[in-house]
Amino acid sequence: MTGAHTTDPILSVNDLVVAVAGRIKIVRGVSFDIAPGEILGLVGESGCGKSMTSLAAMGLLPPAIGVTKGRILLGGTDITRLAPHERVERGCGRIAMIFQEPMTSLNPVLRIGDQIEEAIRVHDPDVVPAVRARELLDMVRIPDAAHQLSAFPHELSGGMRQRVMIAIALACRPSVLIADEPTTALDVTVQRQVLGLIRELCDTLDMGVLFITHDLGVVAQLADRVAVMYAGGLVETGDVVPLFAAPLHPYTAGLMGCLPDPDSDDPLLATIPGSAPRPDEVGDGCPFAPRCPRVADICRRGAVPVRHTDTGQAVRCHFPLNGEAST
Amino acid sequence: MTDDTVLDIRNLSKAYHVRRGGKNHEVRAVDDISLAVRAGETLGIVGESGCGKSSLARAVMGLTRADGGKVIHDGVDLLTLDRRSLARARLRIRMVFQDPYASLDPRRSVGDSVAEAGDIHGIFESSAERKRLVGEALDRVGLGAGFADRFPHELSGGQRQRVGIARAILPEPELVIADEPVSALDVSIQAQVLNLLAELKNRLGLTLLFISHDLSVVAKISDRVAVLYMGRVVEIAPARPLFSDPRHPYTELLIQAIPRPDPSTRITGAIDPDEPPSRFARLAGCPFRDRCPRRTEICATDAPELREIEPGRFVSCHHA
């Protein structure tokens, strides 16, 4: 499920399969590309495999979970089985990652400045750490940088802590930033500010961004392209505008329908009946079939082919919502 | 206060004392809040973290001791009740919590959790009646009586929250206070639980106090909405007009910040940080003034009162 690009992708994931103990697949044949300066929104509900996809790209999969198939290319180099330090040695660019809760990633007993400088010393031995740390705090628009460098993490607000995490992520001058639900724990007004910062950094540093979220609203406002994930696989990809204007997969459309629309007169929300299958419950057919309003016998038998549209969308469904999709 | 008021919160205050940097600070979590909850309505309480919405719920339920004010239910001030009478009153006012994982005892069966309040207050006349009422509550939340023998670890997040709702409705309460009941759930499950709450409210004639940080959810389920900022009510209005025509600048900011599933309102670039001031610093005047585009001199000196600007719409802003 890859779209056409004018520039070469900086991160390319091809038919990635991640499995627990080599048997239970939690990521099933996921493919996507991210170009420099592009934000790909990877959206899905909890347990759909979106975080495992990103950890595979980072080379940070937990023990007993591994890549059993597929390739991850960073700047054209296959990094699928390279440890993080080997990636650096081969000069194939860098991936940095930020997480939902910055407090669990920051050391509570070290000053902010020391933690940023530590990352600078590891990745950028030729610069003066204190100078570069100031520069990084300016880049993430933390006001009064000199004063904040001597603060401890608990003295900062959640939004400021996430800005500090982004500064630490930028210390390695990454070509790809993976952001895993980075604003989910923040208040909406602060969320919007941090999203704006990520957009700006993506544009000015020409980074590729893999933005992982459960929130379709965030994806619509931030991402250039969207990949929707369900039960370990991508069900739909496309550019953000056509995908939100006319979702093709019944799951994508169902998710959009579940969002409360304050302007609607209907007192009830649309729902998707049932719940997502566990990884060990997914069979050969379409994993969404048990919950799908358009299900037919064919959906339960064998792999579902990907169809492409002239709007650049790709959908893995026998009966997409727009009948014009061709195989 | 009108005759149909189920819960009358008057001038409720709750402060916490925090030691930070060698100094004692007073954080006014709930700062002189008055709200009347009317029979049969869903009153939404919305605000960002630290605005006092959960402290308000806890103070109303007597889970934390309020510093001042009254909470009147059935002509009685709940804050003056002894433990036993308060426990009785809590059969009429029930609570649903955010985290269905933390609020269910993992060693108790679903049936025992749902029956707990009834067991404590001896409302079941026989074990057959207990079984019947538990089964009925589980039916009402869409799980079915068969779930009584299951344990929390066997359930999904959505099913656990349905259990949380079943245990709230079993004693046939008048009022249910739901504190972020869908915030831990995936969107597809969130919609199911919101529909369930709306349906139960109609079927059982409940009054609902619905607390959430998510204004789009609150606006959808509520008849009226109260917006909290730094421990104070800044605006109260019927849900639809509040959303389409907010009068307090903070409500406006909150609505603009909601990420809408509409790519025509794109985020294009960075804006400088703008966050609420520290809760440790006590401000004179309006608590929102540092972030407010409408601020003038009076905002720094005088705290605005909550006043009725048109029938049913209350705003605490000098410039509304």
Side-chain angles (χ1 to χ4, degrees):
Chain A
M1 281 200 178
T2 50
H5 283 288
T6 44
T7 39
D8 287 336
I10 180 68
L11 182 69
S12 183
V13 172
N14 292 310
D15 197 23
L16 182 73
V17 176
V18 175
V20 181
R23 288 182 300 113
I24 301 165
K25 293 178 185 173
I26 49 179
V27 176
R28 313 169 158 262
V30 163
S31 301
F32 58 80
D33 288 342
I34 303 176
E38 179 180 69
I39 300 181
L40 174 70
L42 181 59
V43 64
E45 298 183 279
S46 44
C48 72
K50 53 194 194 301
S51 291
M52 285 300 157
T53 303
S54 67
L55 291 177
M58 283 297 286
L60 288 177
L61 285 174
I65 297 181
V67 174
T68 55
K69 195 181 160 209
R71 291 203 307 168
I72 302 163
L73 303 175
L74 177 61
T77 311
D78 188 346
I79 59 164
T80 318
R81 280 167 190 86
L82 294 185
H85 69 274
E86 292 172 308
R87 301 172 177 193
V88 176
E89 285 159 14
R90 301 198 189 181
C92 50
R94 287 160 177 176
I95 308 181
M97 188 160 180
I98 56 174
F99 300 89
Q100 177 170 340
E101 185 34 79
M103 208 51 194
T104 57
S105 310
L106 290 168
N107 186 332
V109 299
L110 286 183
R111 293 178 195 277
I112 296 299
D114 294 337
Q115 302 192 51
I116 299 176
E117 286 179 28
E118 181 186 8
I120 295 167
R121 282 194 197 89
V122 171
H123 293 288
D124 223 350
D126 302 330
V127 300
V128 181
V131 175
R132 175 74 177 148
R134 278 288 296 277
E135 200 179 295
L136 287 169
L137 281 195
D138 287 340
M139 280 168 74
V140 297
R141 297 195 180 219
I142 290 185
D144 192 12
H147 175 244
Q148 300 293 357
L149 283 169
S150 63
F152 289 99
H154 74 266
E155 295 175 304
L156 302 183
S157 68
M160 286 300 157
R161 277 181 219 140
Q162 197 56 283
R163 286 173 192 266
V164 168
M165 284 313 299
I166 296 172
I168 291 173
L170 296 179
C172 74
R173 302 180 195 269
S175 46
V176 173
L177 176 70
I178 297 177
D180 189 353
E181 302 268 10
T183 58
T184 305
L186 302 177
D187 283 326
V188 278
T189 56
V190 176
Q191 163 169 278
R192 193 168 182 91
Q193 298 159 19
V194 173
L195 294 177
L197 175 68
I198 290 173
R199 178 80 255 179
E200 180 185 73
L201 294 170
C202 169
D203 292 344
T204 55
L205 304 175
D206 211 23
M207 278 189 309
V209 176
L210 176 61
F211 193 98
I212 296 166
T213 180
H214 70 284
D215 189 332
L216 280 171
V218 168
V219 168
Q221 303 201 320
L222 182 71
D224 301 301
R225 288 193 311 121
V226 183
V228 182
M229 199 161 181
Y230 184 78
L234 295 186
V235 295
E236 178 164 7
T237 60
D239 290 338
V240 65
V241 173
L243 188 137
F244 274 87
L248 297 177
H249 198 283
Y251 177 64
T252 316
L255 267 188
M256 289 181 187
C258 291
L259 297 174
D261 174 5
D263 298 325
S264 146
D265 282 319
D266 191 340
L268 293 183
L269 291 159
T271 59
I272 304 175
S275 53
R278 293 196 313 265
D280 58 339
E281 295 170 341
V282 179
D284 288 336
C286 173
F288 189 60
R291 305 175 76 186
C292 186
R294 300 166 76 86
V295 65
D297 279 349
I298 189 176
C299 303
R300 301 191 182 93
R301 291 196 303 262
V304 184
V306 176
R307 293 156 188 262
H308 296 272
T309 66
D310 17 336
T311 54
Q313 274 159 280
V315 59
R316 192 181 287 278
C317 179
H318 287 296
F319 306 104
L321 291 156
N322 171 348
E324 294 154 35
S326 59
T327 307
Chain B
M1 176 177 170
T2 48
D3 289 333
D4 63 348
T5 301
V6 170
L7 190 74
D8 192 16
I9 301 167
R10 288 189 204 163
N11 308 103
L12 193 66
S13 290
K14 172 71 193 173
Y16 295 99
H17 296 273
V18 183
R19 206 171 159 78
R20 224 7 117 70
K23 284 187 213 134
N24 287 315
H25 299 270
E26 184 189 49
V27 176
R28 290 196 176 184
V30 178
D31 194 358
D32 196 19
I33 286 183
S34 297
L35 282 172
V37 188
R38 299 173 193 154
E41 79 168 340
T42 298
L43 176 63
I45 309 272
V46 70
E48 298 182 284
S49 47
C51 74
K53 54 192 188 300
S54 291
S55 294
L56 174 68
R58 296 179 64 82
V60 166
M61 290 298 284
L63 298 173
T64 178
R65 185 178 291 277
D67 301 327
K70 290 180 174 164
V71 177
I72 297 168
H73 171 68
D74 271 351
V76 182
D77 181 0
L78 298 181
L79 303 184
T80 62
L81 295 181
D82 58 46
R83 271 181 66 133
R84 180 172 284 231
S85 317
L86 181 63
R88 273 266 152 209
R90 284 196 196 132
L91 284 176
R92 309 289 299 144
I93 306 174
R94 304 283 294 160
M95 200 156 172
V96 176
F97 297 93
Q98 169 171 0
D99 188 345
Y101 293 81
S103 53
L104 290 179
D105 185 335
R107 293 165 305 176
R108 276 171 172 249
S109 72
V110 163
D112 286 346
S113 278
V114 171
E116 189 178 19
D119 288 339
I120 291 170
H121 294 283
I123 65 175
F124 305 121
E125 280 171 10
S126 63
S127 65
E129 195 197 43
R130 179 180 189 266
K131 193 173 175 188
R132 183 177 66 78
L133 289 175
V134 167
E136 207 173 276
L138 288 171
D139 272 339
R140 281 184 168 146
V141 297
L143 290 175
F147 272 76
D149 297 328
R150 302 220 200 160
F151 283 85
H153 73 267
E154 301 172 79
L155 308 183
S156 68
Q159 289 170 334
R160 284 178 209 218
Q161 195 54 292
R162 286 171 191 267
V163 173
I165 295 168
R167 84 200 285 216
I169 62 169
L170 179 122
E172 298 183 342
E174 203 171 350
L175 174 71
V176 171
I177 301 179
D179 188 3
E180 302 270 14
V182 298
S183 304
L185 305 175
D186 277 322
V187 273
S188 70
I189 308 300
Q190 172 177 310
Q192 294 173 5
V193 174
L194 286 172
N195 284 351
L196 173 68
L197 282 171
E199 183 203 315
L200 285 175
K201 190 199 125 186
N202 288 334
R203 195 139 56 103
L204 307 177
L206 292 174
T207 304
L208 196 58
L209 191 63
F210 187 96
I211 299 170
S212 174
H213 70 284
D214 187 336
L215 185 50
S216 52
V217 166
V218 168
K220 183 76 204 175
I221 196 167
S222 305
D223 301 305
R224 288 192 304 144
V225 176
V227 182
L228 261 55
Y229 186 73
M230 294 187 79
R232 298 185 208 180
V233 176
V234 297
E235 182 162 5
I236 304 178
R240 288 289 284 275
L242 180 102
F243 211 84
S244 59
D245 178 24
R247 299 296 174 81
H248 194 284
Y250 175 65
T251 314
E252 204 178 326
L253 178 72
L254 211 52
I255 290 170
Q256 281 167 0
I258 295 173
R260 286 163 206 269
D262 171 10
S264 66
T265 53
R266 300 273 292 167
I267 290 170
T268 48
I271 33 176
D272 282 320
D274 165 39
E275 297 185 8
S278 162
R279 294 301 308 270
F280 300 146
R282 280 281 294 286
L283 291 173
C286 174
F288 187 63
R289 65 163 196 269
D290 288 341
R291 306 172 74 188
C292 186
R294 296 184 204 161
R295 70 173 171 269
T296 57
E297 275 174 27
I298 188 175
C299 306
T301 52
D302 295 13
E305 294 283 322
L306 192 65
R307 61 194 169 90
E308 191 163 17
I309 53 164
E310 52 187 74
R313 297 206 66 166
F314 297 82
V315 183
S316 79
C317 174
H318 293 298
H319 306 293

